[in-house]
Amino acid sequence: MSPTYTAGSLVTARGREWVVLPESASGMLVLRPLGGGEDDIAAVFPAFEEVRPAQFAAPSPADLGDQRAAGLLRTALRIGFRSGAGPFRALASIAVEPRAYQLVPLLMALRQRTVRLLISDDVGIGKTVEAGLIVKELLAQGEASRLAVLCSPALAEQWQGELREKFGIDAELVLASTVTRLERGLELGQSLFDRHPFTIISTDFIKSTRHREDFVRHCPDLVVVDEAHTCVAADDAQGPATSATSQLRYELLRRVAADENRHLLLLTATPHSGKESAFRNLLGLVRPDLTTVDLESPAGRARLAEHFVARKRADVRQYLTKEDGLADDSLAERTAFPSDRWTKDEPYKLAPAYRALLDDAIAYARDRVETAGLQGKREARIAWWSVIALLRSMVSSPAAAARTLETRSESAAARTAVEADALGAPLTRDSSDSDRLEGMDVVPGAAESEQGDPLLRELAVRAAELYGPASDTKLKALTKHLKSLIADGYSPIVFCRYIPTAEYLETQLDKKLGAKTRIASVTGTLSPQQRLERIEKLAAEDADDPAVRRVLIATDCLSEGVNLQHSFDAVIHYDLAWNPTRHDQREGRVDRYGQKRDQVRVITMFGEDNGIDGKVLEVLFAKHRQIKKDLGISVSVPDETASGVTDAVVEWLLLHGRQGTQESLFEFDGHQESFDRMEREWNSAAERERTSRSKYAQRAIHPEEVAREVLAVRAALGGSEEVRSFVLEALRDLEAQVRDPRDGSGDFAAQVGGTPAGVRDGLAAVLGGRIVEEDREIPFRTSPAIGRGEAALVRTDPAVGALASYVLDSALDANTPGPRPARRCGVVTTDAVTIRTTLLLVRYRFHLTLPSRNGERQIVAEDARLLAFEGLPARARWLDDDAAAALLGARAATNTHEQLARNQITRTLDGLPELRDHITEYGVELAADLDASHRRVRKAGDEIVRGLKVVPQEPADVLGVYVYLPQQPATPSSSPSSPSSVSTVTGAEA
């Protein structure tokens, strides 16, 4: 009859040690490798495979390590933990080390039975990571079992990559382009949302009634909505396309949110962009009562604070400092955002031939609008959109102008004026809605019939003749700005409005920017995956040459969804957008957390004599910049407001021509109402944002609470400096070639071609085989925000994990060939102690009972602790935790006699049984601390902690034993026969 094993006990099977998990049943054991993670779990049937109780072997006195052995083994052990015993189940298993401020939404979430949060941190702070932490935690705790992320198509693959690479969640993309393939694999009557538990769904897919209804019926219990402000509309929203799209999304989310047991995370950097009713509708998705709560009252603000977090960069640039109410700055965390943007508006003037072409185009546009106005409302609207397309492409580039003049207008197919607006507006206006970026970089077309207009064909021929810097002064000015940025060491992105412009610039700039400059373009002609591949290819080209600069030319298909801060550090707005929010989106691709430059440069090019750019700058951008200066954040201008202003600009241009451009647009009485409305609505939005950041900002979690949990996490998992020291020392001991510039950054690089095969194999699996095979330098960065082929010096980085796994395995197996950085025993003679002191590295296992709304969950978790005592085991005087940890820094003051070292370690190992009572008692105390920590984090309600238990599993494992001997006073010189002449263990061996 097979023995019965309790959860947490150790067994030996398949040639290794395992921990028995609570999911085990009669006749079947569910096992996790000792120190392994969730991905390593296996089922074993004792009736068919040999399983026997395992006893963790004591260290061998014959395998002594040096003064660093204890620290290396401890860190390797903690890095390997993927099932920590603390209240944050997910932190041990993710591949990103969150900033302390990113724990705030997580703490807020864990205090709610059903999580409902509106996360509105500023652009670039890391809302995706904050949401990912909550998602991973809810899944790990069993509070949620399925996930759906709703986002724009342009953001879908970005979300998929973030969830997979940072949080180990493999989500299926549900897009208009993938749904047919996904549905082919379904069984009869099965929903794809049941088939695939983790999905990322584009909002264009949900527009289909059939798919929308299927989603609502089978909606997961955890939903994340990105760019949530685009999913609500003001009660009095204008514009058929805008209101219909937003209303459709809003109705969908209302139905999703109606299930009060469904977790819902809403993400947006601009919760107040638009009108008050839109903001209230957004709050109503979080909780219906927030729609009408009095936010001017303290009680109302406190109610909102439980569900709303909104912080600017300035709020978190330095966090957990004395200014946050802490006693000192010992936990202070400084986040490396770029300090500021260097911005400059750079004008250019048209060449004579281009100026003549534009004048003729304006004259044609004026006549066309006047003629269409006499033909009916439909014809007038078609003509209006064709004219805007013509003028915008004309000031973009001769290539865009020629293509537009040859292309039929999208709105020409409309049967009504309303339909003409719905077709024409998206292609000619710059909506702040990121859902409308995809496919919006094609030229909109100006011709109103298949045959075209002879005048337009003539203008197209003239535009094609203006290619090149001789006639295109805008291109010439761009070349000058690029050369200046490149000379200063920058790698810029050039943003254009249209595909032909981007392709034109790539061709014209080729070989014009120096031999060390690489150029590529990315437009909507590529799929999202192809865009990423082209960017990665550009970033990897001559990556080993620090003198190489890169220029990326892109349309607004990249202004959202792709983070480019690792490879680019400047932005040139080649085409002025007609909504300042679009510029913020572009700049936000590089000006965000992880940008290595302290200052990002931004150049906005504008034609001072083309009759359009100057007016848009004067009205829209001046106001936008003033609000940003006053508040420290951007406030979006409502789309309909921006459109009203740009309509006025076009009408002004048609009425006055370019010769009227020196007059103030505000002197145009016919549009004073549009400007006044813009001023009122924008000021109102800014005031709501100001109020939100001051009155409604996150108050539910005090920095002291965050600091307490950060301390607990670091005690269990270690901090960044410990990881850096471990990686640096381990690589050197494993005979890697390490280049440490000691430039204050903490970064270093290593070539691992000379390391043992096990190290190379582990790193190749996570960094790429070619990097290891070709013995390229691997950059190790102190920042968790890294590029491809780099490693972050954080415990959850896969490369660090691979290195720690090898160090731990080689320490436990004395027969491992080649260098072994860590050992399980050591004897060090040091001036750090005055009496014989012993340090123990102990691994504890705990059986946790975690209550949730889905029932209790049984978990086995691990923790590693340092225990230290003075004297011999029989009369041990135990030291506190701080004193034990301080021993890791003790350094050998002299060599230790080899026989003396063996005698001392053998004596201590023989006395281990006498230490068992204290080791067990320590485990009981640790379990009580963990219990209190779980209850503290979930202190919102009794139902969240009722039934919580933390029980230590005996016996604990003594992984390491290290004896520290006090340095003896100097004695007179010994005779040749004295003990000092016998072999010794050096500080590097003892």
Side-chain angles (χ1 to χ4, degrees), residues 147 204 213 285 354 518 689 741-742 765 834 841 957-958:
L147 164 71
D204 66 346
E213 293 303 316
L285 294 174
Y354 212 127
R518 309 291 179 259
E689 193 65 52
R742 294 185 173 86
T834 58
L841 175 59
D957 303 322
V958 178

Side-chain angles (χ1 to χ4, degrees), residues 81-138:
F81 284 158
R82 291 296 179 265
S83 55
F88 303 112
R89 300 286 305 146
L91 292 187
S93 61
I94 59 176
V96 60
E97 183 173 356
R99 313 299 289 169
Y101 67 79
Q102 291 175 327
L103 296 178
V104 170
L106 177 59
L107 286 168
M108 294 171 66
L110 292 180
R111 295 181 181 182
Q112 301 178 20
R113 186 174 184 275
T114 300
V115 179
R116 294 291 177 99
L117 287 180
L118 174 57
I119 303 176
S120 299
D121 286 340
D122 200 3
V123 173
I125 281 182
K127 291 184 292 299
T128 305
V129 169
E130 291 170 344
L133 286 171
I134 297 172
V135 166
K136 185 70 172 179
E137 192 67 35
L138 292 177

Side-chain angles (χ1 to χ4, degrees), residues 157-437:
E157 296 199 25
Q158 176 89 1
W159 265 100
Q160 184 186 45
E162 291 280 304
L163 289 178
R164 182 179 57 246
E165 295 168 11
K166 293 181 179 178
F167 299 99
I169 299 173
D170 195 5
E172 191 72 52
L173 288 179
V174 183
L175 312 173
S177 59
T178 65
V179 65
T180 301
R181 172 181 59 82
L182 294 175
E183 288 181 334
R184 279 197 214 104
L186 300 179
E187 298 175 5
L188 184 64
Q190 186 181 33
S191 167
L192 66 87
F193 301 107
D194 288 333
R195 176 68 177 271
H196 304 287
F198 308 138
T199 54
I200 299 169
I201 309 166
S202 75
T203 44
D204 66 346
F205 165 83
I206 291 295
K207 292 174 185 175
S208 160
T209 303
R210 178 173 68 88
H211 294 137
R212 187 167 65 250
E213 293 303 316
D214 184 38
F215 176 71
V216 172
R217 282 195 303 271
H218 302 275
C219 186
D221 50 5
L222 172 55
V223 175
V224 178
V225 183
D226 199 11
E227 301 294 338
H229 63 279
T230 68
C231 298
V232 294
D235 296 337
D236 58 347
Q238 301 294 314
T242 299
S243 59
T245 302
S246 297
Q247 193 64 32
L248 190 65
R249 299 176 193 155
Y250 181 48
E251 288 302 322
L252 170 68
L253 289 186
R254 282 183 61 184
R255 296 172 67 185
V256 168
D259 184 346
E260 61 183 20
N261 291 318
R262 178 170 289 122
H263 303 297
L264 183 63
L265 304 178
L266 303 179
L267 314 181
T268 172
T270 53
H272 294 278
S273 61
K275 300 183 179 180
E276 177 68 16
S277 59
F279 176 56
R280 289 287 184 165
N281 288 339
L282 193 61
L283 294 181
L285 294 174
V286 178
R287 286 190 64 91
D289 60 298
L290 293 178
T291 306
T292 56
V293 71
D294 180 11
L295 297 179
E296 294 302 313
S297 69
R301 292 198 294 272
R303 188 81 183 91
L304 177 61
E306 296 175 9
H307 303 277
F308 183 42
V309 56
R311 296 165 295 180
K312 300 183 294 186
R313 290 187 184 186
D315 298 328
V316 298
R317 191 184 298 276
Q318 297 193 51
Y319 190 55
L320 301 184
T321 66
K322 288 192 288 186
E323 293 182 4
D324 294 313
L326 273 66
D328 54 45
D329 290 340
S330 60
L331 290 177
E333 185 177 78
R334 291 165 179 81
T335 303
F337 297 114
S339 62
D340 198 5
R341 294 180 193 173
W342 177 95
T343 61
K344 189 174 184 181
D345 297 335
E346 289 284 5
Y348 64 89
K349 286 189 174 182
L350 299 171
Y354 212 127
R355 192 159 53 238
L357 175 65
L358 180 58
D359 285 338
D360 289 346
I362 293 171
Y364 170 86
R366 183 187 305 115
D367 293 342
R368 183 70 195 92
V369 169
E370 289 176 357
T371 302
L374 302 175
Q375 295 172 340
K377 194 169 183 180
R378 168 188 171 276
E379 288 74 13
R381 298 311 295 167
I382 292 174
W384 177 252
W385 297 119
S386 299
V387 162
I388 291 182
L390 170 61
L391 296 177
R392 292 207 67 179
S393 60
M394 191 68 69
V395 300
S396 176
S397 71
R403 188 80 61 84
T404 297
L405 290 163
E406 296 166 350
T407 305
R408 187 171 184 240
S409 170
E410 191 82 15
S411 61
R415 290 167 294 184
T416 65
V418 171
E419 190 177 346
D421 288 344
L423 291 172
L427 285 174
T428 52
R429 288 177 171 168
D430 294 328
S431 170
S432 61
D433 183 351
S434 62
D435 266 16
R436 295 182 226 164
L437 295 177

Side-chain angles (χ1 to χ4, degrees), residues 625-688:
R625 290 166 176 174
Q626 186 59 49
I627 291 176
K628 186 172 183 178
K629 181 179 179 182
D630 293 343
L631 291 185
I633 56 170
S634 295
V635 177
S636 300
V637 57
D639 284 346
E640 60 269 23
T641 303
S643 299
V645 171
T646 51
D647 284 353
V649 171
V650 174
E651 291 188 28
W652 166 277
L653 182 65
L654 296 180
L655 184 66
H656 292 267
R658 290 189 310 102
Q659 65 271 22
T661 58
Q662 297 307 312
E663 305 171 54
S664 172
L665 190 57
F666 291 99
E667 295 173 9
F668 191 12
D669 294 336
H671 287 86
Q672 189 60 47
E673 183 181 347
S674 295
F675 307 140
D676 290 345
R677 184 173 68 251
M678 179 206 76
E679 189 80 10
R680 288 193 307 272
E681 291 181 354
W682 216 342
N683 285 338
S684 176
E687 184 56 36
R688 284 195 298 274

